[in-house]
Amino acid sequence: MGSQEVLGQAARLASSGLLLQVLFRLITFVLNAFILRFLSKEIIGIVNVRLTLLYSTTLFLAREAFRRACLSGGTQRDWSQTLNLLWLTVPLGVFWSLFLGWVWLQLLEVPDPDVVPHYGTGVVLFALSAVVELLGEPFWVLAQAHMFVKLKVIAESLSVVLKSVLTACLVLWLPHWGLHIFSLAQLFYTAVLVLCYVVYFTKLLLSPGSTKPQILPVSRITDLLPSLTKTGAFVNWKEAKLTWSFFKQSFLKQILTEGKEDMALSSEETSVLERGKDATPSEEDIAVAAVVLESLLKLALLTGLTITVFGFAYSQLALDIYGGAMLSSGSGPVLLRSYCLYVLLLAINGVTECFTFAAMSKEEVDRYNFTMLALSCSFLVLSYLLTSWFGSVGFILANCFNMGIRITQSLCFIHRYYQRSPHRPLAGLRLSPLLLGAFALSGGITSMSEVFLCCEQGWLARLAHVAVGALCLAVTLGTAFLTETRLIHFLRTQLGLSRLADKWT
């Protein structure tokens, strides 16, 4: 695969991941707004916080390290050993689901059954859904390694849409089921997701006219199941050791970040570097990675700044429309404004850590684990202090500090990585003075608009406030289009509709 094709594939994979994240958030946002009209906020809170945290933590601890290690070696390898290693995520997921389920039921405070009924069933089904999703891990990694972008987009989008439809129908017809609604919908979501991957590979391998089976390391669907290898080793021990290194780091990261997901990209999904391929990467690899990294940094920065600048002025209005006075009064708007800043840092950190972890050697990953341990201790202390002083906002500020430190570490690594080359991908974090002025002007205008038009002046004033924001957003995006020509050219050449139609198959 040539460097330009790798560049295009990585860019399309990155964009699809970002678009999926936006789609999921939008669907969840609309769905929750609908559900709030039928179910209590206590049930919504238990689902969105406790049960979702159980599900995401189980998956993170069971598969994160395996994904990073198995996506770092490229497509040329003994895939039977890699697939055997990936199947170990299932028993590991069973262990974590049982252990964390016990913690959720025995150590954490159980909600009042009169207010939140069927809590125990919800814990069991959310933990089970995590194990079900792990059954598709070998299929997912194989698809990612061969950049089957369309499969990822269709599988995840279809699963989320069907889950949302099922949830809405059950809420409308059987609201008294409470947590059973969300538990069944979550289990249905993971089952559909895994089924999409299984059906796709089954049809692909049985299709005589397709060219894709020729590039796959398997010829039958049974080859994806655990099996003895020709070399006699059940797994690749180099990958296994790298997995252990990533597991130690992931465990610290989970404690450090409280299970929050990076907005931009899952680590390793967009890497164009292959760990351990050569002692020193080729100049072509370095150049391709620099182009992708610079463009993604610029895109993450622009997205995060847009959310931050306009989120400050429209947090109260969004909460008022979404949940009424229950959410828009009190500390709700302040929390959302603080989180807008956190989203900016999350976006940048998602891209920088993606590159850093892909380019690090095993020894560098092990050293970074100790840094993460020290950082986790400082984060816990700072969280306690800031929460004591500023309440819930303090916890978000502590997370912002944590993200800032992690971004700084990644930027230092990237700077050292490219200091002897002519490429400067960190230029993606620089914006033109004209665009910065547009962001600053938009922030000032929308803030003044909020003071005079929102949110006690009636719906006409609210609409005027929205119109002001839309005008400012149009001016800002127009300025970005005129000033960030390098990014626009990258997006046009790599993400053009014609090329997507040709290659997303």
Side-chain angles (χ1 to χ4, degrees):
M1 184 179 291
S3 61
Q4 289 300 319
E5 188 174 355
V6 171
L7 176 62
Q9 292 278 37
R12 285 190 290 276
L13 189 56
S15 64
S16 66
L18 184 58
L19 290 175
L20 280 175
Q21 290 293 327
V22 174
L23 174 64
F24 297 165
R25 297 299 186 269
L26 179 61
I27 291 176
T28 303
F29 180 85
V30 175
L31 182 63
N32 284 341
F34 169 77
I35 293 172
L36 277 172
R37 272 61 180 175
F38 295 89
L39 299 178
S40 67
K41 62 180 180 181
E42 288 80 10
I43 291 181
I44 302 299
I46 289 294
V47 172
N48 288 343
V49 179
R50 279 209 193 182
L51 297 183
T52 300
L53 182 60
L54 169 63
Y55 164 78
S56 61
T57 302
T58 301
L59 286 179
F60 188 91
L61 294 176
R63 75 184 184 189
E64 180 73 8
F66 290 86
R67 283 189 170 186
R68 290 186 177 181
C70 293
L71 284 173
S72 299
T75 57
Q76 302 301 318
R77 66 176 99 175
D78 186 346
W79 270 97
S80 59
Q81 292 180 332
T82 299
L83 294 172
N84 288 342
L85 182 64
L86 287 168
W87 279 111
L88 295 179
T89 60
V90 177
L92 189 60
V94 172
F95 165 76
W96 282 116
S97 63
L98 292 174
F99 175 74
L100 294 175
W102 175 79
V103 171
W104 256 242
L105 291 174
Q106 301 298 327
L107 300 185
L108 298 181
E109 181 182 358
V110 177
D112 186 349
D114 294 330
V115 179
V116 183
H118 316 304
Y119 175 72
T121 304
V123 169
V124 171
L125 292 181
F126 266 79
L128 177 61
S129 67
V131 176
V132 170
E133 186 165 340
L134 291 172
L135 293 174
E137 199 62 18
F139 303 89
W140 187 92
V141 170
L142 187 62
Q144 289 295 116
H146 291 83
M147 294 188 177
F148 290 177
V149 182
K150 187 177 180 179
L151 171 59
K152 175 183 173 68
V153 173
I154 293 178
E156 297 190 12
S157 301
L158 180 63
S159 303
V160 170
V161 171
L162 291 179
K163 172 190 173 182
S164 302
V165 172
L166 178 61
T167 303
C169 292
L170 291 178
V171 167
L172 190 60
W173 296 333
L174 301 168
H176 59 280
W177 278 21
L179 286 183
H180 282 163
I181 295 174
F182 301 96
S183 304
L184 293 174
Q186 182 65 29
L187 189 59
F188 177 73
Y189 160 77
T190 55
V192 172
L193 183 62
V194 173
L195 188 61
C196 285
Y197 281 93
V198 174
V199 170
Y200 179 87
F201 277 103
T202 301
K203 292 185 63 177
L204 184 64
L205 294 173
L206 293 177
S207 176
S210 176
T211 59
K212 279 191 175 180
Q214 301 174 8
I215 66 174
L216 289 176
V218 294
S219 57
R220 301 184 305 272
I221 193 66
T222 54
D223 293 339
L224 289 166
L225 300 176
S227 62
L228 295 177
T229 63
K230 298 178 181 179
T231 60
F234 186 71
V235 299
N236 183 324
W237 289 107
K238 182 179 179 181
E239 284 184 341
K241 291 178 181 178
L242 184 60
T243 300
W244 173 243
S245 297
F246 276 128
F247 176 78
K248 292 183 289 185
Q249 182 203 71
S250 298
F251 190 82
L252 292 173
K253 181 180 177 182
Q254 183 70 3
I255 297 174
L256 187 65
T257 60
E258 294 290 327
K260 293 183 177 68
E261 296 179 341
D262 287 350
M263 184 196 75
L265 305 166
S266 299
S267 295
E268 311 298 331
E269 284 190 27
T270 59
S271 172
V272 294
L273 300 178
E274 295 180 9
R275 189 191 319 280
K277 180 179 179 181
D278 294 302
T280 55
S282 66
E283 181 61 32
E284 183 183 38
D285 288 339
I286 292 177
V288 170
V291 173
V292 174
L293 178 59
E294 179 181 350
S295 300
L296 292 181
L297 280 175
K298 183 78 70 174
L299 185 61
L301 179 61
L302 290 176
T303 304
L305 271 178
T306 302
I307 293 174
T308 302
V309 169
F310 290 92
F312 267 71
Y314 290 88
S315 293
Q316 185 176 358
L317 178 60
L319 289 175
D320 190 66
I321 295 174
Y322 187 63
M326 178 181 66
L327 296 180
S328 62
S329 60
S331 61
V334 178
L335 285 172
L336 187 54
R337 291 185 182 109
S338 303
Y339 200 82
C340 288
L341 175 61
Y342 183 45
V343 167
L344 169 62
L345 298 176
L346 277 175
I348 298 174
N349 182 70
V351 176
T352 55
E353 278 197 349
C354 171
F355 178 90
T356 299
F357 292 147
M360 275 183 174
S361 64
K362 177 183 179 299
E363 292 72 21
E364 289 173 320
V365 171
D366 288 334
R367 288 197 298 269
Y368 189 72
N369 287 339
F370 291 101
T371 304
M372 290 286 286
L373 179 60
L375 186 58
S376 64
C377 295
S378 63
F379 169 71
L380 293 175
V381 173
L382 186 62
S383 297
Y384 175 79
L385 293 176
L386 292 180
T387 303
S388 300
W389 296 338
F390 304 109
S392 301
V393 175
F395 184 71
I396 298 179
L397 294 178
N399 276 280
C400 290
F401 175 81
N402 165 40
M403 283 296 128
I405 294 297
R406 286 166 57 178
I407 290 171
T408 301
Q409 290 179 317
S410 297
L411 292 181
C412 291
F413 176 87
I414 296 171
H415 175 73
R416 292 194 302 269
Y417 190 89
Y418 280 101
Q419 63 181 353
R420 295 184 180 179
S421 76
H423 309 289
R424 295 295 179 265
L426 294 184
L429 293 177
R430 293 197 298 265
L431 298 179
S432 68
L434 183 61
L435 182 55
L436 288 174
F439 274 115
L441 184 62
S442 295
I445 292 175
T446 53
S447 296
M448 292 297 295
S449 174
E450 182 183 32
V451 172
F452 292 103
L453 299 176
C454 185
C455 289
E456 305 297 333
Q457 309 298 324
W459 279 103
L460 286 179
R462 293 183 180 189
L463 291 175
H465 181 45
V466 171
V468 170
L471 179 61
C472 291
L473 179 61
V475 172
T476 302
L477 294 180
T479 305
F481 184 84
L482 295 175
T483 57
E484 301 300 334
T485 55
R486 187 181 179 92
L487 174 63
I488 299 301
H489 176 72
F490 174 84
L491 295 176
R492 279 180 169 176
T493 55
Q494 301 302 330
L495 306 177
L497 293 179
S498 60
R499 297 190 62 177
L500 287 177
D502 294 337
K503 295 186 177 181
W504 279 33
T505 56

